[in-house]
Amino acid sequence: MKQTWRWFGPHDHVSVDDMMQAGVEGVVSALHHVPTGEVWTSGEIAARQQAIGRMKDGQASGLRWDVVESLPVSEDIKKQRGNWRAHIDNYKTSLENLAAAGIEVICYNFMPVLDWTRTQLHWRLPNGATCMRYDFVDFAAFDIFILARPEAAADFPDEVVEQARQRHAAMTAPDKEMLARNVVFGLPGAADNFTLADVKAHLADYRDVSAERLRKHLIDFLSEVAPIAERLGLRLCCHPDDPPFALLGLPRIMSTEADYAAVMAAVDSPASGITLCTGSLGARPDNDLPGMMQRLGKRVHFLHLRNVKRESNDIRCSFYEAEHLGGDTDMVAVIAAILREERRRKTEGRTDWSIPFRPDHGHDILDDLNRSGQPGYPAIGRLKGLAELRGIFTALSHPSVSLPA
């Protein structure tokens, strides 16, 4: 298990020096400033590699850009409208350029409109730390009464609609603005400038895109890019829906083991794989994370290890980002399954036997609370999570420990 860390580039509040001190072995990054659908040029890729490779004092960091997260799939590709064919061609060119730079793992997602969704970005925990949270009733209040999507009320149980009505009535104008801003934060690159009218326009574009149609579009996309990736020795890995259930009337097609199994079977290429995110998938009580790693492990190319605490056992429920070892997912069992898969790959002679992982999300603790960094990506909170995960990995990897088959 290769220990990596997500870095948002030179403007990230967490520096290359911070990553060095955390003891990470590789970096996960992306060219967020390049508009979606355009080519990632060799020059831009090289510039990011050079930034990762140097500490503040100019000394070599020894770190390299190991995983792309994400090479974004445009809304045109997802809808198969507008410039979608040109965007696929550009995607292929970007893959060529990444391969030439020696980067082999590329994470992406196929979530329409919303990249991820939370209602609170800094929810206070009893110990004073803060974390991200998805409140089902708050989201219903946003959808029904703030966004005022015409069909919204029919998408929620009657009791949730009534709770949302009462909660919305008790909100101040700043409360409503904050809730809308938090939800819209999941629109890639749009945290500061998307309006509710923009959201409504995006939703209108998907009005006739069913889950079946969106899944076909994903398969069409992979049928185009996976052969290129396989020829180049790249590993594409699709991130699950976050949260893994329907939102705003939009289709969600990568939320369960069955979803992944269907897509992996449809494009049966080793280059077409999975980002196993234990937090996203763990927000559903019917997802068996250790079992998914065991059954789908040969196609898992990247790991997001984080935990969530569900507040009910319903498929659609409130949840919050828990400590890495403190949520509903048995992280010890997950890591044991990962190590068994790595052992199997090594026996087979696979060169990709060591699967990169990163400690995804984390609580804002200690000095994180004063940094105003990227929500979910504090320095100290993620370091705490990495240390906990590193402890499990080290213990289970010890020669005295025998992993069951």
Side-chain angles (χ1 to χ4, degrees):
M1 296 176 65
K2 187 168 189 178
Q3 302 170 42
T4 67
W5 191 274
R6 191 171 191 180
W7 191 55
F8 291 93
H11 300 295
D12 197 325
H13 287 261
V14 179
S15 68
V16 172
D17 295 46
D18 294 335
M19 291 190 284
M20 290 286 293
Q21 293 168 28
V24 302
E25 300 166 333
V27 177
V28 178
S29 194
L31 303 180
H32 301 285
H33 59 286
V34 177
T36 298
E38 293 191 9
V39 170
W40 284 17
T41 66
S42 298
E44 291 283 3
I45 294 167
R48 179 55 51 87
Q49 288 178 310
Q50 290 164 10
I52 290 169
R54 293 289 171 187
M55 300 174 68
K56 290 178 181 177
D57 62 4
Q59 293 189 53
S61 69
L63 295 175
R64 66 186 300 272
W65 186 3
D66 286 310
V67 180
V68 168
E69 185 180 350
S70 298
L71 180 57
V73 180
S74 72
E75 297 299 316
D76 281 1
I77 291 175
K78 294 170 190 172
K79 295 178 292 188
Q80 289 195 0
R81 293 179 186 159
N83 294 323
W84 71 279
R85 292 190 183 278
H87 288 180
I88 286 182
D89 289 340
N90 290 347
Y91 207 96
K92 293 175 182 178
T93 301
S94 296
L95 292 179
E96 297 268 4
N97 293 339
L98 287 166
I103 303 170
E104 297 179 354
V105 181
I106 294 94
C107 175
Y108 69 98
N109 75 70
F110 220 76
M111 288 179 267
V113 183
L114 293 169
D115 207 356
W116 53 266
T117 304
R118 299 292 185 270
T119 57
Q120 290 152 296
L121 305 182
H122 301 286
W123 187 59
R124 184 180 171 87
L125 293 160
N127 66 357
T130 65
C131 69
M132 295 196 296
R133 182 170 185 261
Y134 174 85
D135 186 296
F136 189 38
V137 175
D138 276 354
F139 188 81
F142 166 79
D143 194 6
I144 300 169
F145 301 109
I146 298 176
L147 183 64
R149 184 170 62 90
E151 307 87 352
D155 286 348
F156 297 92
D158 291 343
E159 62 271 20
V160 172
V161 174
E162 182 54 33
Q163 291 171 27
R165 187 186 314 278
Q166 295 176 18
R167 192 167 296 182
H168 177 261
M171 289 180 183
T172 64
D175 290 338
K176 296 172 186 177
E177 291 173 5
M178 177 64 74
L179 177 58
R181 186 160 59 248
N182 290 347
V183 172
V184 171
F185 198 92
L187 287 160
D192 295 324
N193 56 15
F194 260 64
T195 66
L196 294 182
D198 294 325
V199 176
K200 290 178 180 179
H202 278 289
L203 296 181
D205 284 344
Y206 277 92
R207 188 171 297 278
D208 62 345
V209 180
S210 64
E212 293 73 20
R213 183 173 171 187
L214 186 65
R215 184 176 295 107
K216 178 183 180 300
H217 292 176
L218 171 56
I219 292 169
D220 289 345
F221 166 72
L222 287 172
S223 297
E224 289 274 353
V225 301
I228 304 297
E230 187 170 348
R231 173 176 61 80
L232 295 170
L234 303 178
R235 300 185 293 284
L236 304 173
C237 36
C238 187
H239 188 283
D241 303 324
D242 187 6
F245 44 77
L247 299 174
L248 302 178
L250 294 166
R252 305 286 259 187
I253 59 168
M254 299 302 276
S255 297
T256 66
E257 181 174 351
D259 290 336
Y260 272 101
V263 172
M264 295 303 105
V267 184
D268 191 11
S269 164
S272 175
I274 300 165
T275 296
L276 189 75
C277 179
T278 57
S280 299
L281 294 167
R284 282 182 69 118
D286 56 344
N287 277 332
D288 168 20
L289 273 301
M292 289 180 71
M293 186 64 216
Q294 178 180 341
R295 292 181 288 272
L296 302 176
K298 68 178 182 179
R299 301 283 282 275
V300 172
H301 299 322
F302 185 34
L303 298 155
H304 287 180
L305 298 184
R306 64 180 173 92
N307 224 324
V308 299
K309 185 66 179 177
R310 299 185 298 270
E311 298 177 26
S312 82
N313 286 321
D314 298 329
I315 297 298
R316 296 188 299 164
C317 66
S318 300
F319 62 87
Y320 64 89
E321 304 280 352
E323 294 180 312
H324 284 75
L325 306 187
D328 289 311
T329 294
D330 184 342
M331 199 63 73
V332 175
V334 169
I335 292 178
I338 294 166
L339 292 175
R340 286 194 294 270
E341 171 60 22
E342 289 190 332
R343 182 176 60 189
R344 187 192 66 78
R345 294 183 183 193
K346 202 168 186 179
T347 299
E348 287 185 352
R350 283 177 57 166
T351 58
D352 65 338
W353 66 267
S354 181
I355 306 173
F357 81 93
R358 65 174 179 84
D360 197 10
H361 297 178
H363 291 176
D364 286 281
I365 59 176
L366 306 176
D367 192 52
D368 292 330
L369 295 166
N370 303 314
R371 286 195 179 206
S372 300
Q374 181 80 4
Y377 293 92
I380 304 170
R382 279 188 293 165
L383 174 57
K384 177 175 180 281
L386 177 59
E388 293 172 342
L389 297 169
R390 185 184 286 148
I392 297 174
F393 163 74
T394 301
L396 293 181
S397 301
H398 194 273
S400 65
V401 175
S402 178
L403 294 174

